[in-house]
Amino acid sequence: MSNKTFKRSILSSTIAVALSAGIAHNASAQDSPTVQDDIEIIQVKGIRASTVKSINVKRFAASQVDGIASEDIGKLPDVTISDSLQRITGVQVERTAGESGPVQIRGMGQVDTTLNGEVFLSATTIDSSGANFGDLPAQLFAGVDVYKTSQTKRTASGITGSVDLKTRRPFNMNEGWVYNVSADVTQGSISEESDPTLTGLVSYNADKWGVLFSAATQEATLATDYNGYFDTSENGGIGAANNNFTWGQNPRGEEVRHVVPQGFAAFNKQEKREREGYQFAFQADLSEGFELVFEAFYTDQSRFNDRRGLSQNNRWYSFNDYAYPTESGWTGDTFTDADGNPWGAVNDFYLKPWRLQTFTQVNNNFEKSTNLNLELNFNNGGALTGQVRATRAHASARMRHGYGEGDMLSIDRGTLVTGPGQLTPAEFCGSDDAIVGDQGGCYAAFSPGGIEDDSFLLRYNASGESPVFSGFEQMVNGGQGRMSVADYMGSIDSYHIGAFSSEGNTDDEGEINTFSTKWNYQFDDVTFITSVDFGIRVMEREVDHDQFTYTSEFGDGCDVAQWKAVDQYHTTATCEGNPAAGEYLTQDVGDLTAGTWVPYTLLNPARLDKYTTVSQISNYGSVQGIPSMWSIDPSNFRDPRQFHLDTFGNVQRIENAGASYDVELNEFSYFLQANFEYNMFKGNFGMKVIETDLYVKQNLAGSNLPHSGLGPDIGDVVTERSYTDYLPSVNITADVTEDVIVRAAYSKNMQALTLSNWGGGKTVGKAINGECDCLRVVNGTLSGNPELNPWRSKNFSLSAEWYSGEASMAFLALYKIDIESFTTDGTVMIDEPDDDGIRRGPWPFTTQVQGEGGYVKGIEVGMKAAFGDYTDISILQNFGVDVNYTYSDSGYDTNESVFGELPFPGNSKDTYNFVLWYEQDEFSTRLAWNSRSPRLVTTGSSAVGGQSLYQDDYSQLDFSATYHATDYLDIFLHGSNITEEVQQTYLQFAAQKAFRNEYESRWTLGVRATF
């Protein structure tokens, strides 16, 4: 085969065929060339064909665009949309439950996502403009386009780019009936579950009208092993980490400060997902140039996110005397904080036995979304073409949280914590317990079979490849006699219930309604301006976010509690004298004299298996040294409300005022864009004006209820704002030669904040503290500020593209983004009172603060090469590669870190992709490698010396192969993360490891038929 030189006529036919197969639906609405009506529709199949399709989208676009095309119906190149997107230069992804989730373009996560060119609602991201694609079955999409520069006529822009998801329509399919079905099964290396997926599509194209219906149903079990700092948030974090001078002078005389996590953990995470997705489309040619389109896209997803394992923590009693460095624990990394205090990094700790427990946490998520689209397109072959379009979207998301602890250290005798020191009713007293209450109450043994020892030390060593826990061989005393810590951990008789709770539950409702009309007018005899685009758009968006806790009443209604725990006891102020809440002493007990009223504990002594089913756990991934343990089965918390009702006899829903809000965002926009062509130059320039009205209703939070962090709703604060943005854009393309294109672009961009940044309120984190015998402020969050401005930027981009073959091209792009307005993680100090009314602060409250003077700049370089475009050597002709690299640097002026300028969260400086593919008539295969350098996860507060949390280098290798058994039947195999990579994080210094997520490999075997 000789080297190919592209000709315009060949290219025009090629792109027309490709576009008619589903990449663009309407020329007036998309950044694509016009499709000839007489081109035969051909379904694009195979790796090379999808590569040609993607290259042509990039080549003929009026701005800088990268595309992903489905290789066949129901077959994007990867299992998830995000996995496919990460192959595009300049795109980075974050992983959730081991799967690719939210995306960043050119280093920023402020990315608009649209469905067929218009905003839509995803049930997992109701309050933001983006999507993490978690509830969107990849099989329902025909392709994805990533726009890196703006056009005035486009609905979305984002700050650094936007993603447009494309579904199929009947007129994109062959005439008559088309059927596609596929079935596969996936197994993970950690979960070892076999998860089925079934998809199907049926289409009928009658030339003048057509219908299409596609569906996907999937079960998935995604497993991850976690170890490190104790934090049970989605992917882990710094949590409530402090330092060895928190709550007082360091008792060991240390002068150098170091981080002290609230605890250390090792646990298994499993997300069991049941997902269904449906798409319906109807098209009709109404004649006279009018076309009617109606579409419905529906998803229904249930996710059961379970985690269970070991937690060794400080029980909220001490930071300065909980975890301290071993003899070899210092890493050698040092710094001085903003107050002049010396700090050192530590990765090997001795741990005092304040608490040794197992825990079980369950988040039950139920998510639905419906997106409707109705549009009337007009094109009668004349100068004027256009569209009138209306969309309506609604999404709901419910999360129900369940939590339970199993403690194995005695809280009655021998251990560091010899409390709660409260009475229990007579029914819980044994023959050996001293009766001290006037109703027969006693100080009962909460953990008769538990460990009674305060002198042993455990150890957590993260200096090696995998963390190591040790110290479990030590002999200790307890209710079962003298035996090792490991033996106590292995006996169900050692455990008592430490706490139950169901907090942070959420109900989210979101709605978006849009009406738009866009028109294009072509000029015949104008030498420079070839056409103009103009239009208006109205969008109404609202979100109602409710956060609440399931509480229960105690003491015949004199008390109410969120945390039903052994270290919580009835509130004297509301319960004194109530026989259901406590007793009067009949004798002196310690400092208490006879006649004193003493409250009962809320959670009376109970074995771990009294209210729940339990089982042993022993597999925590690569972490070493942890013995077998007992924990609550996650199935007990599938319905947390019912569990608390059954266990405590009553349950109430109490709103968390500080975390509930309503936000309405209304936009009215209009634009004018001129399209030009002169000699080798073509492009567009225009102006979009967006007038925004913002309504924010926040709740005023009253004093916290006892035994909780709940501040009830005592009123509303309403903020109304309006602002206007003028957003110019310019795109210039120069056809330097037939195969070389140079592009330049400039725009001003604006993106609304995630609505919680405007609407959220104040939440206060509190924990029991023995010093004041009360709930004491630890930290807090200010999640909303209605005075924050939206993200705003000025974007510059320059690129060059060389199209060297039908399925081959190379490119280079430079970009700089001046971010004029943004929000960033910040910390403010607030002197919030403790539950006894005394202010002992101030304490750090994390929040979003207004930033100015940010930037992102970088380089993108890459190539797609089908070797058959360059060589006649038969062994190479069926191979191809897709290679790219992105350098992305970022920062902002308002950064006050002692470590210098910080990047924007989520951004990696270096991103690499390498894809090697092979394809012939009967067989095709692909090997894809993606790698990214460290990224900032979150900035640190003064509690940890301002040290920030980073994710270390991460690389992943994926594999796919397809055997074309017949013209209609394919058999495929896909492997994701086949080398079982680990997401390691560290606190400021690479040696100071924080936590790690160990992801499983997942293998999928399936069949696909199209006829």
Side-chain angles (χ1 to χ4, degrees):
M1 181 181 295
S2 60
N3 291 343
K4 295 181 178 178
T5 302
F6 258 23
K7 302 298 183 183
R8 288 290 180 198
S9 59
I10 298 175
L11 279 173
S12 298
S13 298
T14 303
I15 188 60
V17 170
L19 289 170
S20 67
I23 279 293
H25 297 315
N26 184 275
S28 67
Q30 307 298 329
D31 184 8
S32 309
T34 303
V35 181
Q36 297 178 22
D37 294 335
D38 58 350
I39 296 294
E40 180 186 359
I41 295 177
I42 300 173
Q43 294 300 326
V44 176
K45 300 185 68 172
I47 298 174
R48 181 185 174 98
S50 67
T51 302
V52 172
K53 197 173 179 183
S54 298
I55 286 176
N56 284 332
V57 167
K58 185 177 184 71
R59 179 167 191 166
F60 288 93
S63 61
Q64 294 180 26
V65 182
D66 286 289
I68 298 169
S70 178
E71 296 172 19
D72 194 1
I73 299 173
K75 188 179 185 297
L76 282 178
D78 296 275
V79 171
T80 71
I81 297 171
S82 292
D83 281 342
S84 291
L85 286 172
Q86 73 178 339
R87 317 293 178 204
I88 290 179
T89 317
V91 175
Q92 301 170 347
V93 303
E94 296 180 17
R95 299 188 181 277
T96 303
E99 273 193 344
S100 298
V103 303
Q104 292 105 8
I105 297 177
R106 291 181 167 174
M108 302 297 293
Q110 283 61 46
V111 175
D112 277 344
T113 305
T114 56
L115 180 65
N116 298 324
E118 183 54 270
V119 66
F120 79 110
L121 266 180
S122 163
T124 52
T125 51
I126 285 178
D127 63 352
S128 70
S129 300
N132 71 2
F133 310 114
D135 62 340
L136 303 175
Q139 299 86 348
L140 300 186
F141 294 94
V144 187
D145 285 346
V146 175
Y147 292 84
K148 299 176 182 176
T149 62
S150 297
Q151 280 194 86
T152 300
K153 70 177 183 178
R154 282 190 50 78
T155 298
S157 59
I159 292 300
T160 54
S162 61
V163 175
D164 187 32
L165 304 172
K166 307 218 174 183
T167 58
R168 289 180 170 81
R169 291 178 174 174
F171 286 179
N172 304 139
M173 312 299 289
N174 289 330
E175 289 190 13
W177 291 98
V178 174
Y179 304 93
N180 174 271
V181 294
S182 68
D184 61 61
V185 62
T186 300
Q187 187 172 81
S189 59
I190 297 177
S191 68
E192 298 182 350
E193 296 283 341
S194 296
D195 301 317
T197 298
L198 181 65
T199 65
L201 176 146
V202 58
S203 171
Y204 181 71
N205 182 354
D207 188 32
K208 290 295 185 179
W209 63 275
V211 293
L212 180 148
F213 177 77
S214 59
T217 178
Q218 180 190 57
E219 295 180 10
T221 305
L222 308 172
T224 304
D225 289 318
Y226 175 99
N227 51 72
Y229 293 2
F230 182 43
D231 187 295
T232 60
S233 55
E234 184 60 51
N235 278 342
I238 300 176
N242 273 266
N243 64 79
N244 55 327
F245 281 77
T246 300
W247 291 349
Q249 180 68 31
N250 181 270
R252 289 175 302 283
E254 295 171 355
E255 297 182 358
V256 177
R257 283 167 162 77
H258 61 80
V259 170
V260 179
Q262 192 262 330
F264 297 85
F267 55 86
N268 178 262
K269 300 188 289 186
Q270 284 202 0
E271 179 165 292
K272 298 181 179 180
R273 183 176 64 203
E274 300 169 0
R275 180 171 66 189
E276 295 179 352
Y278 305 96
Q279 182 221 351
F280 173 79
F282 171 79
Q283 275 182 288
D285 182 351
L286 304 180
S287 73
E288 303 299 328
F290 290 97
E291 179 196 56
L292 180 68
V293 179
F294 171 75
E295 293 172 302
F297 192 90
Y298 174 81
T299 63
D300 186 350
Q301 177 171 266
S302 298
R303 294 184 296 120
F304 306 101
N305 194 303
D306 306 338
R307 48 202 68 195
R308 61 193 298 216
L310 163 74
S311 170
Q312 203 279 6
N313 61 72
N314 68 356
R315 203 185 184 94
W316 299 109
Y317 271 74
S318 170
F319 280 100
N320 57 6
D321 195 27
Y322 161 54
Y324 56 91
T326 66
E327 297 78 6
S328 58
W330 299 95
T331 70
D333 300 297
T334 62
F335 69 96
T336 301
D337 67 18
D339 297 322
N341 300 307
W343 285 72
V346 179
N347 63 11
D348 188 2
F349 292 89
Y350 285 126
L351 312 176
K352 284 196 170 183
W354 288 93
R355 172 176 268 170
L356 182 62
Q357 65 179 187
T358 59
F359 74 95
T360 300
Q361 175 179 296
V362 175
N363 290 336
N364 305 287
N365 299 272
F366 307 95
E367 299 148 344
K368 296 181 180 181
S369 67
T370 302
N371 288 269
L372 305 176
N373 173 58
L374 180 65
E375 62 187 68
L376 183 66
N377 301 312
F378 174 73
N379 184 351
N380 67 351
L384 183 66
T385 59
Q387 177 190 82
V388 178
R389 184 175 188 178
T391 67
R392 181 176 180 83
H394 179 269
S396 65
R398 297 183 296 118
M399 192 280 287
R400 299 296 184 265
H401 170 87
Y403 184 81
E405 296 173 343
D407 291 357
M408 63 194 78
L409 295 179
S410 170
I411 57 173
D412 310 303
R413 62 180 74 88
T415 55
L416 291 173
V417 178
T418 55
Q422 303 303 316
L423 258 63
T424 58
E427 63 185 286
F428 296 98
C429 299
S431 58
D432 296 331
D433 295 319
I435 304 303
V436 296
D438 64 350
Q439 300 176 63
C442 66
Y443 289 92
F446 276 77
S447 183
I451 298 173
E452 301 169 8
D453 200 315
D454 66 356
S455 60
F456 70 96
L457 292 176
L458 299 180
R459 183 174 178 179
Y460 175 80
N461 185 351
S463 62
E465 178 69 21
S466 298
V468 178
F469 283 87
S470 59
F472 301 106
E473 75 287 349
Q474 295 173 82
M475 302 300 291
V476 292
N477 291 314
Q480 299 176 68
R482 185 169 178 79
M483 57 186 188
S484 70
V485 177
D487 287 338
Y488 270 97
M489 295 169 71
S491 170
I492 185 61
D493 296 328
S494 304
Y495 295 79
H496 70 276
I497 295 171
F500 289 127
S501 72
S502 178
E503 55 192 291
N505 303 297
T506 57
D507 281 339
D508 288 310
E509 296 282 339
E511 187 173 296
I512 298 179
N513 298 310
T514 73
F515 174 82
S516 62
T517 180
K518 301 179 180 182
W519 297 87
N520 175 269
Y521 188 83
Q522 298 278 342
F523 299 108
D524 288 334
D525 301 321
V526 179
T527 58
F528 180 64
I529 304 296
T530 59
S531 68
V532 293
D533 290 282
F534 54 94
I536 62 172
R537 177 175 178 266
V538 178
M539 183 188 75
E540 299 174 345
R541 179 170 194 172
E542 59 183 54
V543 169
D544 181 354
H545 174 79
D546 293 326
Q547 187 185 104
F548 61 93
T549 289
Y550 287 132
T551 65
S552 295
E553 291 183 350
F554 293 85
D556 285 342
C558 70
D559 211 355
V560 62
Q562 163 184 318
W563 298 321
K564 297 94 170 180
V566 295
D567 51 12
Q568 300 289 307
Y569 44 90
H570 285 93
T571 305
T572 302
T574 56
C575 293
E576 183 171 356
N578 185 332
E583 302 181 35
Y584 291 96
L585 294 179
T586 58
Q587 60 190 55
D588 295 346
V589 178
D591 295 333
L592 302 175
T593 59
T596 302
W597 188 82
V598 179
Y600 294 143
T601 52
L602 296 184
L603 190 59
N604 292 302
R607 287 170 53 95
L608 184 62
D609 54 1
K610 179 175 181 179
Y611 301 111
T612 64
T613 58
V614 299
S615 57
Q616 280 191 295
I617 52 175
S618 58
N619 187 354
Y620 312 94
S622 68
V623 63
Q624 302 174 43
I626 304 175
S628 177
M629 302 179 70
W630 289 86
S631 71
I632 298 170
D633 294 324
S635 58
N636 290 277
F637 300 139
R638 281 291 172 257
D639 186 345
R641 183 187 185 282
Q642 189 64 46
F643 174 81
H644 284 258
L645 178 61
D646 294 341
T647 304
F648 301 106
N650 68 91
V651 66
Q652 301 84 36
R653 169 176 169 153
I654 296 183
E655 303 294 320
N656 186 353
S660 300
Y661 57 86
D662 295 315
V663 177
E664 295 179 12
L665 182 71
N666 297 323
E667 291 182 352
F668 175 68
S669 60
Y670 42 96
F671 72 87
L672 177 65
Q673 174 178 303
N675 307 298
F676 66 87
E677 187 168 353
Y678 183 76
N679 293 333
M680 63 183 291
F681 297 99
K682 60 185 176 182
N684 56 76
F685 58 89
M687 173 71 75
K688 178 189 293 183
V689 180
I690 303 179
E691 300 175 1
T692 303
D693 294 322
L694 179 66
Y695 170 93
V696 180
K697 187 183 79 171
Q698 297 171 292
N699 299 319
L700 290 173
S703 299
N704 281 3
L705 298 177
H707 322 296
S708 72
L710 285 173
D713 186 358
I714 60 173
D716 297 327
V717 175
V718 174
T719 303
E720 296 186 73
R721 294 178 56 199
S722 297
Y723 53 85
T724 301
D725 287 273
Y726 299 89
L727 307 176
S729 71
V730 179
N731 289 276
I732 301 173
T733 299
D735 292 329
V736 179
T737 70
E738 275 195 330
D739 301 321
V740 176
I741 297 175
V742 175
R743 304 180 194 268
Y746 163 79
S747 66
K748 279 191 172 184
N749 292 359
M750 182 275 288
Q751 185 179 34
L753 302 183
T754 297
L755 302 188
S756 60
N757 292 152
W758 280 316
K762 178 172 69 175
T763 56
V764 181
K766 295 186 178 182
I768 188 70
N769 181 258
E771 189 177 303
C772 67
D773 201 22
C774 68
L775 284 169
R776 186 164 165 176
V777 176
V778 179
N779 49 35
T781 301
L782 296 175
S783 56
N785 180 357
E787 299 302 324
L788 290 172
N789 293 321
W791 285 71
R792 296 186 173 111
S793 66
K794 291 181 180 178
N795 295 38
F796 306 86
S797 185
L798 179 66
S799 68
E801 302 157 10
W802 175 39
Y803 296 88
S804 54
E806 183 187 43
S808 304
M809 60 92 63
F811 59 90
L812 172 69
L814 309 175
Y815 60 89
K816 185 174 188 296
I817 303 166
D818 293 328
I819 303 177
E820 300 176 326
S821 170
F822 60 92
T823 64
T824 184
D825 293 336
T827 302
V828 295
M829 303 301 292
I830 298 178
D831 194 4
E832 187 79 14
D834 295 329
D835 265 23
D836 60 1
I838 299 175
R839 297 179 184 271
R840 297 179 173 89
W843 299 105
F845 278 62
T846 58
T847 186
Q848 290 286 294
V849 298
Q850 191 73 61
E852 297 178 354
Y855 69 89
V856 182
K857 58 184 179 181
I859 302 172
E860 299 173 349
V861 60
M863 64 173 292
K864 299 176 186 287
F867 294 168
D869 287 345
Y870 305 105
T871 180
D872 293 328
I873 301 175
S874 59
I875 195 173
L876 296 178
Q877 286 204 5
N878 295 329
F879 281 94
V881 294
D882 185 349
V883 184
N884 59 65
Y885 165 75
T886 303
Y887 172 80
S888 179
D889 187 22
S890 68
Y892 48 97
D893 296 341
T894 54
N895 188 331
E896 299 178 355
S897 169
V898 297
F899 304 101
E901 189 176 59
L902 294 178
F904 276 100
N907 181 36
S908 293
K909 273 194 174 181
D910 305 291
T911 307
Y912 309 85
N913 279 292
F914 178 80
V915 178
L916 173 66
W917 56 266
Y918 172 84
E919 183 175 55
Q920 45 127 314
D921 290 342
E922 295 84 17
F923 179 75
S924 63
T925 186
R926 179 200 312 261
L927 196 65
W929 176 74
N930 172 267
S931 181
R932 61 184 300 181
S933 62
R935 67 178 179 93
L936 174 65
V937 178
T938 184
T939 55
S941 70
S942 59
V944 293
Q947 298 179 83
S948 295
L949 180 67
Y950 290 86
Q951 176 188 305
D952 210 343
D953 296 315
Y954 182 85
S955 300
Q956 182 164 310
L957 186 64
D958 300 328
F959 166 83
S960 64
T962 301
Y963 172 62
H964 309 290
T966 71
D967 289 342
Y968 308 103
L969 181 65
D970 292 340
I971 302 172
F972 58 90
L973 175 69
H974 185 93
S976 176
N977 188 30
I978 61 178
T979 54
E980 298 184 337
E981 294 299 324
V982 170
Q983 180 202 61
Q984 178 68 61
T985 66
Y986 58 86
L987 200 58
Q988 196 61 50
F989 306 102
Q992 188 170 234
K993 299 174 183 177
F995 62 86
R996 53 194 263 145
N997 285 296
E998 300 175 1
Y999 297 135
E1000 64 181 351
S1001 62
R1002 294 181 62 78
W1003 290 92
T1004 301
L1005 178 65
V1007 295
R1008 180 184 302 106
T1010 303
F1011 49 93

